[in-house]
Amino acid sequence: MVSSQHSPFITRTIFSDVAGDITIAVNGESFLLHKFPLVSLSGKIRKMVADAKDPNLSELNLTHVPGGPKTFELAAKFCYGMNFEITTTNVARLHCVAEYLEMTEDYREENLIARTETFLVEVVFPNLEKTVEVLSSCDDLLPIAEEVGISDRCIDAIARNACQEQLVSGLSRLDCDSGSLEHKEWWIEDLSVLSIDFYGRVIMAMGHVGLHIDSIIASLMHYAQVSLKGIGKPQIWNPARAYPCKGEKGQKTVVETLVSLLPPEKSSTVPLNFLFGMLRIAIMVDAALACRLEIERRIAFRLEMVLLDDLLIPSVQTGDSLFDVDTVKHILIHFLQRIDQEENGDCGYESENIDSPSHGSLLKVGRLIDTYLAEIAPDPYLSLEKFIAMISVLPDYARVIDDGLYRAIDIYLKAHPMLSEHDCKKLCEFIDCQKLSQEACNHAAQNDRLPVQMTVQVLYFEQLRLKNALCESCGDTQKMSSGVTSAAMSPRDSYASLRRENRELKLEISRMRVRLSDLEKEQVFMKQGMIDKTGQGKTFLTSLSRGIGRLGIFGGPSHGKRRKSEGKTARSRRYSVS
């Protein structure tokens, strides 16, 4: 703030023999000045003096002066003809105070408004870096900066300059993943100094002038990295499981604005790691529900490309599970809705063949979710209701075999030994014993954590499988022939039934492919065993138990790899199911 002792310095410099005749109070600070130079250039002060009933008016009060007393002092110096430099730091304040004081061409040529306008047009707007600096200084000049239009002009100038820079450097033909984009687009770092309101308007303007979408995404990622750096780090994996401190209002606004600025999925590919990072921060700062749903929907659009570590989102609720299972469930629901829409959009019967993109994506996600279930199963805070809810979201036809699901449930039973027999039975009902591989059946037959009913089912279906293999007949032939019969029906009358039968057919074919190699390996050995001990009821159990300790799907090399990563974090610990 400028003190009132500066005013006598102004009067003595220009009119050393004339005392000031008017005192002007600016936002609580007084300036002793002269009426004549002020009314000669300022229309506002001229009207205030003319409208005063007292001809000997000696005091005026100016409120809400843009830039405060310091900027008014520069305007007063201009009225007295004193020299000072207009810079990118003060031009916005000078332009706004000149508009406030009505220092137009009506009172003198090249008045303060004209001088600042010339500087903006000739020096600021052609240069992107200088325009960003001026726009950033407008934060303290609202709302008058909006009223005089200086902020809008800066935003348009930034967008035009960025687009010209892109054309000159040939960025429109560069691949965003090549690394050249980040090196050449120096203006991305400059935009990080803007407030989120101005930044959002700049990005929207860039989209309107046709800036490359990859450039916009790179700018959004950099702005998020700078403005949201360090949020939530002390709270992640906190053993106390206390509520994290909610983010400040500004951080919440930043997250919600950045998500709203993301380009459409069909026209761009926003990196998945960035989306998951934004989702984690959105949860920590308690962003609006619409913001979180938008991120979840975007992730679901490419869920088949997601890695397991991406889904391990820490929970921020007290007494809840270590992982945010509900969020992953929401993402999975969005994904299944997308698959259903894609299938409904395909009116042709041939579109649902086994190699269709939607079916392939569904199988990939099925394997991913089973792995995720096995990862969260050891969590002692994970309730049975949440675990079952996560299992039940994925439809049966998303799994060719149930080995992954069986492994996840077995880990959960081992980590929660206090489950009642009723709960164990309820959980194991999700396992289809007919969809277990030979190794999984061998393990299940010897697993004392499973209910007796499931063990009996496993042995029964293994007997059926063995019988079919020895007789060189396949029970799936009848299912395939019945599918052909139902296909003879009119698709217009029973399209829903046709889709369901076709889906079952695809699942059976996939399952047969997986079983074929197992049957070929086991057939010779099992046939010899039955020849040697025909009529013995315990022969089949003996063959099942043989080699149970050498099962590769629940141990072996894969288990050794996990052992290397033990100790890094609590979440990466695996549990055996032996």
Side-chain angles (χ1 to χ4, degrees), residues 299-306 332 335-336 338-340 342-343 353-369 394-395 397-400 506:
I299 293 175
F301 194 79
R302 290 179 286 150
L303 185 57
E304 61 270 24
M305 304 177 186
V306 170
L332 181 57
F335 169 79
L336 295 174
R338 184 203 106 192
I339 294 296
D340 189 60
E342 291 178 357
E343 291 183 349
N353 60 66
I354 194 170
D355 297 322
S356 64
S358 61
H359 186 260
S361 299
L362 189 60
L363 294 180
K364 288 182 180 179
V365 171
R367 292 190 292 269
L368 174 66
I369 295 302
L394 199 65
Y397 54 83
R399 295 182 176 96
V400 176
K506 292 187 296 182

Short mmCIF file of all heavy atoms in Angstrom, two decimals, residues 299-306 332 335-336 338-340 342-343 353-369 394-395 397-400 506:
data_model
loop_
_atom_site.label_atom_id
_atom_site.label_comp_id
_atom_site.label_asym_id
_atom_site.label_seq_id
_atom_site.Cartn_x
_atom_site.Cartn_y
_atom_site.Cartn_z
N ILE A 299 -13.06 -44.78 -17.58
CA ILE A 299 -12.23 -45.96 -17.33
C ILE A 299 -12.93 -47.20 -17.85
O ILE A 299 -12.31 -48.08 -18.46
CB ILE A 299 -11.93 -46.08 -15.83
CG1 ILE A 299 -11.03 -44.92 -15.38
CG2 ILE A 299 -11.28 -47.42 -15.52
CD1 ILE A 299 -10.78 -44.88 -13.89
N ALA A 300 -14.24 -47.30 -17.61
CA ALA A 300 -15.00 -48.47 -18.07
C ALA A 300 -14.98 -48.59 -19.59
O ALA A 300 -15.09 -49.70 -20.12
CB ALA A 300 -16.44 -48.37 -17.57
N PHE A 301 -14.82 -47.48 -20.27
CA PHE A 301 -14.79 -47.50 -21.73
C PHE A 301 -13.60 -48.31 -22.26
O PHE A 301 -13.65 -48.85 -23.37
CB PHE A 301 -14.71 -46.05 -22.25
CG PHE A 301 -15.00 -45.91 -23.71
CD1 PHE A 301 -16.30 -45.93 -24.18
CD2 PHE A 301 -13.97 -45.78 -24.65
CE1 PHE A 301 -16.59 -45.79 -25.53
CE2 PHE A 301 -14.24 -45.65 -25.98
CZ PHE A 301 -15.55 -45.65 -26.43
N ARG A 302 -12.55 -48.44 -21.43
CA ARG A 302 -11.35 -49.21 -21.83
C ARG A 302 -10.91 -50.13 -20.70
O ARG A 302 -9.72 -50.29 -20.45
CB ARG A 302 -10.22 -48.26 -22.23
CG ARG A 302 -10.45 -47.51 -23.51
CD ARG A 302 -9.30 -46.59 -23.81
NE ARG A 302 -9.31 -45.43 -22.94
CZ ARG A 302 -8.21 -44.77 -22.55
NH1 ARG A 302 -7.03 -45.20 -22.92
NH2 ARG A 302 -8.30 -43.72 -21.77
N LEU A 303 -11.86 -50.72 -20.00
CA LEU A 303 -11.53 -51.54 -18.84
C LEU A 303 -10.68 -52.74 -19.22
O LEU A 303 -9.88 -53.22 -18.40
CB LEU A 303 -12.82 -52.00 -18.16
CG LEU A 303 -12.67 -52.77 -16.85
CD1 LEU A 303 -11.89 -51.96 -15.82
CD2 LEU A 303 -14.03 -53.16 -16.29
N GLU A 304 -10.82 -53.25 -20.44
CA GLU A 304 -10.03 -54.43 -20.83
C GLU A 304 -8.54 -54.12 -20.92
O GLU A 304 -7.71 -55.03 -20.99
CB GLU A 304 -10.53 -54.97 -22.17
CG GLU A 304 -10.42 -54.01 -23.33
CD GLU A 304 -11.65 -53.15 -23.50
OE1 GLU A 304 -12.39 -52.96 -22.51
OE2 GLU A 304 -11.87 -52.66 -24.61
N MET A 305 -8.15 -52.82 -20.93
CA MET A 305 -6.75 -52.43 -20.99
C MET A 305 -6.16 -52.10 -19.62
O MET A 305 -4.98 -51.79 -19.51
CB MET A 305 -6.59 -51.20 -21.90
CG MET A 305 -7.13 -51.38 -23.29
SD MET A 305 -6.96 -49.85 -24.25
CE MET A 305 -7.84 -50.32 -25.76
N VAL A 306 -6.97 -52.17 -18.59
CA VAL A 306 -6.55 -51.77 -17.24
C VAL A 306 -5.67 -52.84 -16.62
O VAL A 306 -5.86 -54.04 -16.85
CB VAL A 306 -7.79 -51.51 -16.37
CG1 VAL A 306 -7.41 -51.32 -14.91
CG2 VAL A 306 -8.54 -50.29 -16.88
N LEU A 332 -17.08 -51.59 -13.15
CA LEU A 332 -17.47 -52.84 -13.81
C LEU A 332 -18.90 -52.76 -14.33
O LEU A 332 -19.20 -53.25 -15.44
CB LEU A 332 -17.31 -54.01 -12.85
CG LEU A 332 -17.66 -55.40 -13.40
CD1 LEU A 332 -16.82 -55.72 -14.64
CD2 LEU A 332 -17.45 -56.46 -12.33
N PHE A 335 -18.92 -50.82 -17.46
CA PHE A 335 -18.35 -51.63 -18.55
C PHE A 335 -19.39 -52.59 -19.10
O PHE A 335 -19.54 -52.73 -20.33
CB PHE A 335 -17.13 -52.39 -18.05
CG PHE A 335 -16.63 -53.45 -19.00
CD1 PHE A 335 -15.87 -53.11 -20.10
CD2 PHE A 335 -16.95 -54.79 -18.80
CE1 PHE A 335 -15.43 -54.07 -20.99
CE2 PHE A 335 -16.51 -55.75 -19.67
CZ PHE A 335 -15.74 -55.40 -20.77
N LEU A 336 -20.11 -53.29 -18.23
CA LEU A 336 -21.12 -54.24 -18.69
C LEU A 336 -22.25 -53.53 -19.43
O LEU A 336 -22.80 -54.07 -20.40
CB LEU A 336 -21.67 -55.01 -17.50
CG LEU A 336 -20.67 -55.92 -16.77
CD1 LEU A 336 -21.29 -56.53 -15.53
CD2 LEU A 336 -20.16 -57.01 -17.71
N ARG A 338 -21.82 -50.89 -21.23
CA ARG A 338 -21.23 -50.58 -22.55
C ARG A 338 -21.27 -51.81 -23.46
O ARG A 338 -21.64 -51.71 -24.63
CB ARG A 338 -19.79 -50.13 -22.36
CG ARG A 338 -19.10 -49.69 -23.65
CD ARG A 338 -17.59 -49.79 -23.50
NE ARG A 338 -17.08 -50.92 -24.24
CZ ARG A 338 -15.85 -51.40 -24.11
NH1 ARG A 338 -15.02 -50.87 -23.24
NH2 ARG A 338 -15.46 -52.41 -24.85
N ILE A 339 -20.91 -52.97 -22.92
CA ILE A 339 -20.95 -54.19 -23.72
C ILE A 339 -22.37 -54.50 -24.18
O ILE A 339 -22.61 -54.88 -25.34
CB ILE A 339 -20.38 -55.37 -22.90
CG1 ILE A 339 -18.88 -55.16 -22.62
CG2 ILE A 339 -20.59 -56.69 -23.62
CD1 ILE A 339 -18.02 -55.15 -23.85
N ASP A 340 -23.33 -54.32 -23.29
CA ASP A 340 -24.72 -54.59 -23.64
C ASP A 340 -25.20 -53.64 -24.73
O ASP A 340 -25.92 -54.05 -25.64
CB ASP A 340 -25.59 -54.46 -22.39
CG ASP A 340 -27.01 -54.94 -22.65
OD1 ASP A 340 -27.18 -56.11 -23.00
OD2 ASP A 340 -27.95 -54.13 -22.50
N GLU A 342 -23.30 -52.24 -27.02
CA GLU A 342 -22.64 -52.63 -28.27
C GLU A 342 -23.33 -53.84 -28.89
O GLU A 342 -23.51 -53.91 -30.11
CB GLU A 342 -21.17 -52.93 -28.01
CG GLU A 342 -20.34 -51.71 -27.66
CD GLU A 342 -18.90 -52.07 -27.36
OE1 GLU A 342 -18.58 -53.28 -27.37
OE2 GLU A 342 -18.09 -51.16 -27.13
N GLU A 343 -23.74 -54.79 -28.06
CA GLU A 343 -24.41 -55.98 -28.58
C GLU A 343 -25.80 -55.64 -29.10
O GLU A 343 -26.24 -56.16 -30.12
CB GLU A 343 -24.49 -57.05 -27.49
CG GLU A 343 -23.13 -57.65 -27.13
CD GLU A 343 -23.26 -58.75 -26.11
OE1 GLU A 343 -24.36 -58.89 -25.53
OE2 GLU A 343 -22.27 -59.47 -25.88
N ASN A 353 -20.27 -63.61 -32.93
CA ASN A 353 -19.41 -64.78 -33.02
C ASN A 353 -18.38 -64.74 -31.91
O ASN A 353 -18.19 -63.73 -31.24
CB ASN A 353 -18.74 -64.83 -34.40
CG ASN A 353 -17.90 -63.59 -34.66
OD1 ASN A 353 -16.89 -63.36 -33.99
ND2 ASN A 353 -18.31 -62.77 -35.62
N ILE A 354 -17.69 -65.83 -31.75
CA ILE A 354 -16.80 -65.97 -30.60
C ILE A 354 -15.62 -65.03 -30.66
O ILE A 354 -15.00 -64.72 -29.64
CB ILE A 354 -16.32 -67.44 -30.51
CG1 ILE A 354 -15.69 -67.70 -29.15
CG2 ILE A 354 -15.34 -67.76 -31.63
CD1 ILE A 354 -15.41 -69.15 -28.91
N ASP A 355 -15.28 -64.54 -31.84
CA ASP A 355 -14.14 -63.64 -31.98
C ASP A 355 -14.56 -62.18 -32.03
O ASP A 355 -13.78 -61.32 -32.41
CB ASP A 355 -13.35 -63.98 -33.26
CG ASP A 355 -12.75 -65.39 -33.18
OD1 ASP A 355 -12.32 -65.77 -32.08
OD2 ASP A 355 -12.74 -66.09 -34.21
N SER A 356 -15.79 -61.85 -31.66
CA SER A 356 -16.26 -60.47 -31.69
C SER A 356 -15.49 -59.65 -30.66
O SER A 356 -15.11 -60.16 -29.60
CB SER A 356 -17.75 -60.40 -31.40
OG SER A 356 -18.02 -60.87 -30.09
N PRO A 357 -15.24 -58.36 -30.95
CA PRO A 357 -14.48 -57.52 -30.00
C PRO A 357 -15.12 -57.44 -28.62
O PRO A 357 -14.43 -57.47 -27.60
CB PRO A 357 -14.45 -56.16 -30.69
CG PRO A 357 -14.67 -56.46 -32.14
CD PRO A 357 -15.57 -57.67 -32.19
N SER A 358 -16.45 -57.34 -28.57
CA SER A 358 -17.11 -57.21 -27.27
C SER A 358 -16.94 -58.47 -26.43
O SER A 358 -16.71 -58.40 -25.22
CB SER A 358 -18.60 -56.91 -27.47
OG SER A 358 -19.24 -57.95 -28.18
N HIS A 359 -17.03 -59.65 -27.08
CA HIS A 359 -16.87 -60.89 -26.33
C HIS A 359 -15.43 -61.06 -25.85
O HIS A 359 -15.18 -61.50 -24.71
CB HIS A 359 -17.26 -62.08 -27.19
CG HIS A 359 -17.27 -63.38 -26.46
ND1 HIS A 359 -16.24 -64.28 -26.55
CD2 HIS A 359 -18.17 -63.93 -25.60
CE1 HIS A 359 -16.50 -65.32 -25.79
NE2 HIS A 359 -17.66 -65.14 -25.21
N GLY A 360 -14.47 -60.69 -26.70
CA GLY A 360 -13.07 -60.76 -26.28
C GLY A 360 -12.78 -59.82 -25.12
O GLY A 360 -12.05 -60.18 -24.19
N SER A 361 -13.35 -58.62 -25.16
CA SER A 361 -13.15 -57.68 -24.06
C SER A 361 -13.76 -58.21 -22.77
O SER A 361 -13.19 -58.06 -21.69
CB SER A 361 -13.78 -56.33 -24.41
OG SER A 361 -13.18 -55.77 -25.57
N LEU A 362 -14.92 -58.84 -22.89
CA LEU A 362 -15.59 -59.38 -21.71
C LEU A 362 -14.76 -60.48 -21.05
O LEU A 362 -14.65 -60.55 -19.82
CB LEU A 362 -16.96 -59.91 -22.10
CG LEU A 362 -17.89 -60.33 -20.96
CD1 LEU A 362 -18.17 -59.14 -20.05
CD2 LEU A 362 -19.19 -60.89 -21.51
N LEU A 363 -14.16 -61.35 -21.85
CA LEU A 363 -13.32 -62.41 -21.28
C LEU A 363 -12.08 -61.83 -20.61
O LEU A 363 -11.66 -62.32 -19.54
CB LEU A 363 -12.93 -63.39 -22.39
CG LEU A 363 -14.07 -64.20 -23.01
CD1 LEU A 363 -13.53 -65.13 -24.08
CD2 LEU A 363 -14.83 -64.99 -21.95
N LYS A 364 -11.47 -60.80 -21.20
CA LYS A 364 -10.30 -60.16 -20.59
C LYS A 364 -10.67 -59.55 -19.24
O LYS A 364 -9.94 -59.69 -18.26
CB LYS A 364 -9.74 -59.09 -21.52
CG LYS A 364 -9.04 -59.63 -22.75
CD LYS A 364 -8.48 -58.49 -23.58
CE LYS A 364 -7.78 -59.01 -24.83
NZ LYS A 364 -7.25 -57.90 -25.67
N VAL A 365 -11.80 -58.86 -19.21
CA VAL A 365 -12.22 -58.24 -17.96
C VAL A 365 -12.57 -59.30 -16.93
O VAL A 365 -12.31 -59.13 -15.73
CB VAL A 365 -13.42 -57.30 -18.22
CG1 VAL A 365 -14.03 -56.82 -16.91
CG2 VAL A 365 -12.98 -56.12 -19.08
N GLY A 366 -13.14 -60.42 -17.38
CA GLY A 366 -13.43 -61.49 -16.45
C GLY A 366 -12.18 -62.01 -15.76
O GLY A 366 -12.17 -62.22 -14.54
N ARG A 367 -11.11 -62.19 -16.52
CA ARG A 367 -9.84 -62.63 -15.92
C ARG A 367 -9.28 -61.56 -14.98
O ARG A 367 -8.73 -61.88 -13.91
CB ARG A 367 -8.84 -62.97 -17.01
CG ARG A 367 -9.21 -64.20 -17.82
CD ARG A 367 -8.07 -64.65 -18.71
NE ARG A 367 -7.81 -63.69 -19.78
CZ ARG A 367 -8.38 -63.74 -20.98
NH1 ARG A 367 -9.25 -64.70 -21.27
NH2 ARG A 367 -8.08 -62.85 -21.90
N LEU A 368 -9.42 -60.28 -15.39
CA LEU A 368 -8.92 -59.19 -14.55
C LEU A 368 -9.66 -59.12 -13.22
O LEU A 368 -9.05 -58.98 -12.15
CB LEU A 368 -9.06 -57.86 -15.30
CG LEU A 368 -8.73 -56.59 -14.51
CD1 LEU A 368 -7.25 -56.56 -14.15
CD2 LEU A 368 -9.10 -55.34 -15.31
N ILE A 369 -10.98 -59.25 -13.26
CA ILE A 369 -11.77 -59.16 -12.03
C ILE A 369 -11.47 -60.35 -11.11
O ILE A 369 -11.40 -60.19 -9.88
CB ILE A 369 -13.26 -59.08 -12.36
CG1 ILE A 369 -13.56 -57.77 -13.10
CG2 ILE A 369 -14.10 -59.16 -11.11
CD1 ILE A 369 -13.18 -56.52 -12.36
N LEU A 394 -20.25 -59.70 -12.16
CA LEU A 394 -19.77 -60.28 -13.41
C LEU A 394 -20.65 -61.46 -13.81
O LEU A 394 -20.82 -62.39 -13.02
CB LEU A 394 -18.32 -60.73 -13.27
CG LEU A 394 -17.53 -60.93 -14.56
CD1 LEU A 394 -17.35 -59.62 -15.30
CD2 LEU A 394 -16.16 -61.54 -14.24
N PRO A 395 -21.21 -61.47 -15.00
CA PRO A 395 -22.08 -62.58 -15.41
C PRO A 395 -21.29 -63.87 -15.63
O PRO A 395 -20.08 -63.85 -15.84
CB PRO A 395 -22.70 -62.08 -16.72
CG PRO A 395 -21.73 -61.07 -17.23
CD PRO A 395 -21.12 -60.42 -16.03
N TYR A 397 -21.25 -65.92 -18.13
CA TYR A 397 -20.67 -66.14 -19.45
C TYR A 397 -19.39 -65.33 -19.67
O TYR A 397 -18.78 -65.40 -20.73
CB TYR A 397 -21.69 -65.81 -20.55
CG TYR A 397 -22.30 -64.43 -20.46
CD1 TYR A 397 -21.65 -63.32 -20.97
CD2 TYR A 397 -23.54 -64.24 -19.87
CE1 TYR A 397 -22.21 -62.06 -20.90
CE2 TYR A 397 -24.12 -62.99 -19.78
CZ TYR A 397 -23.45 -61.90 -20.31
OH TYR A 397 -24.01 -60.64 -20.23
N ALA A 398 -18.97 -64.53 -18.67
CA ALA A 398 -17.70 -63.81 -18.79
C ALA A 398 -16.51 -64.67 -18.38
O ALA A 398 -15.37 -64.24 -18.52
CB ALA A 398 -17.73 -62.55 -17.93
N ARG A 399 -16.79 -65.89 -17.86
CA ARG A 399 -15.72 -66.78 -17.44
C ARG A 399 -15.79 -68.07 -18.25
O ARG A 399 -16.80 -68.76 -18.24
CB ARG A 399 -15.85 -67.13 -15.96
CG ARG A 399 -15.67 -65.95 -15.01
CD ARG A 399 -15.76 -66.41 -13.56
NE ARG A 399 -15.50 -65.33 -12.63
CZ ARG A 399 -16.45 -64.59 -12.05
NH1 ARG A 399 -17.73 -64.86 -12.32
NH2 ARG A 399 -16.14 -63.63 -11.22
N VAL A 400 -14.72 -68.39 -18.95
CA VAL A 400 -14.63 -69.66 -19.65
C VAL A 400 -14.41 -70.78 -18.65
O VAL A 400 -15.03 -71.84 -18.72
CB VAL A 400 -13.50 -69.63 -20.70
CG1 VAL A 400 -13.35 -70.99 -21.36
CG2 VAL A 400 -13.77 -68.55 -21.74
N LYS A 506 -21.12 -70.06 -27.52
CA LYS A 506 -19.75 -69.54 -27.55
C LYS A 506 -19.00 -69.95 -26.29
O LYS A 506 -17.81 -70.28 -26.34
CB LYS A 506 -19.78 -68.01 -27.67
CG LYS A 506 -20.30 -67.50 -28.99
CD LYS A 506 -20.12 -66.00 -29.11
CE LYS A 506 -20.94 -65.27 -28.09
NZ LYS A 506 -20.83 -63.81 -28.22
#
